[in-house]
Amino acid sequence: MSNRRKFIKSSIYGGLAVSTASLSSVACATQTEVGEKPIVVSTWKHGMEANDGAWKILSKGGKAVDAVEQGVMVTEADPTNTTVGIGGAPDRDGNVTLDACIMDENDNCGSVAFLQNFKHPVAVARKVMDETPHVMLVGEGAKRFANEQGFKEENLLTPQSEAAWKKWLEKGNYQPEINVENHDTIGMVALDSNGNLSGACTTSGAAYKMHGRVGDSPIIGAGLFVDNEVGAATATGLGEFVIKICGAHMIVELMRQGKSPMQACREAVERIVRKYPNDYKNLQVGFLAINKAGAYGAYSIHQGFDYAVRSNTTNELIDAQFFGS
Ligand code: SD4
């Protein structure tokens, strides 16, 4: 990781409050306004390894849609990551149920939700996109389709996740904590060297959720949205609140109106804050966006959300600006 890790602080509705890192902050903001290609950005620290996976494709002139699929599969395959793929925290009944989606530069999209026993839901979502006339398959139907496509079933509940779940059961209190362990859903958006945008998002959802609960991550327009004319956005955090404002779609539309990726993400966060004043203090949502020029930006409700950026000039983890409380 680059040692040019940047800290950009924000004040409430105050835009950039440039403090100790003023020069690098300004440089970063300028750089993200300009953009470059190819480039890939993804949520949280695990995005660094995921970006490496995507970069193998992007750096050779490959397609963004292939890059984002391969990129997030790195995270899905990591059993130590308790929020994505194998090793993901189960629902309150002990079932690991996964949600994922993918969207390409031609508005093609595929999604699976409430999928059990397949560690690469994004690859199943890609098959939904490529091989069916539908956008979304869920539960048993998604499972049957995955089997038909030759995906291998496996147990996704690792001993560590099972032990953590059993400990949770002692109290059984469902109250998702902000930035728990500081790694979360992976959402990834990329611009390839041909100037095409794509994105993917994959998660085990909120830990100890109700059986059958689906969050924002597999919902096109909420957890992910791509419009190749404008930009792409993805979300992480408590999905119920991302769905309520149709977060990723909102951000792309704000970019269409001329907002920078960071400004668009900030406006989406501020919408949540304004509409849910009694809720936002106890929940985290983070948005990450890229535009057609390859400029990127992010914003979250609370401190603690970071995102990974990889391009020909950058390979780093950046602390997102945030609203605060
Ligand atoms: C969800 N947004 O299912 C996802 C998971 C997540 O913090 O990011 N949780 O709500």
Side-chain angles (χ1 to χ4, degrees), residues 69-245:
E69 181 185 9
Q70 291 301 316
V72 301
M73 281 173 70
V74 172
T75 319
E76 287 180 339
D78 178 358
T80 66
N81 184 314
T82 57
T83 53
V84 180
I86 191 164
D91 65 17
R92 59 188 62 176
D93 301 329
N95 308 290
V96 180
T97 72
L98 303 180
D99 302 335
C101 71
I102 188 163
M103 187 164 186
D104 77 5
E105 75 276 14
N106 296 313
D107 296 345
N108 296 311
C109 37
S111 165
V112 290
F114 191 51
L115 180 68
Q116 297 181 55
N117 299 331
F118 296 94
K119 86 172 165 206
H120 287 305
V122 75
V124 184
R126 175 80 191 257
K127 289 286 185 190
V128 173
M129 176 172 100
D130 289 346
E131 308 293 340
T132 82
H134 305 305
V135 166
M136 193 163 194
L137 293 178
V138 305
E140 273 303 309
K143 188 172 174 179
R144 188 194 304 174
F145 173 73
N147 274 312
E148 286 165 4
Q149 291 294 320
F151 291 98
K152 191 170 129 279
E153 285 198 46
E154 59 192 295
N155 175 25
L156 303 181
L157 187 65
T158 58
Q160 291 80 2
S161 287
E162 187 173 9
W165 165 61
K166 287 190 170 147
K167 185 150 180 48
W168 176 83
L169 278 178
E170 288 168 13
K171 287 195 181 147
N173 182 24
Y174 180 72
Q175 203 162 37
E177 287 174 50
I178 291 174
N179 295 328
V180 176
E181 296 174 340
N182 213 12
H183 57 78
D184 219 340
T185 295
I186 185 150
M188 174 182 281
V189 287
L191 178 71
D192 64 28
S193 48
N194 288 320
N196 286 321
L197 291 159
S198 293
C201 189
T202 176
T203 189
S204 53
Y208 319 129
K209 60 196 175 186
M210 288 175 68
H211 188 58
R213 180 265 189 190
V214 170
D216 61 310
S217 304
I219 298 178
I220 299 295
L224 178 74
F225 195 69
V226 177
D227 185 323
N228 205 39
E229 292 176 353
V230 177
T234 190
T236 181
L238 195 59
E240 280 74 3
F241 287 83
V242 177
I243 294 170
K244 286 177 196 212
I245 65 155

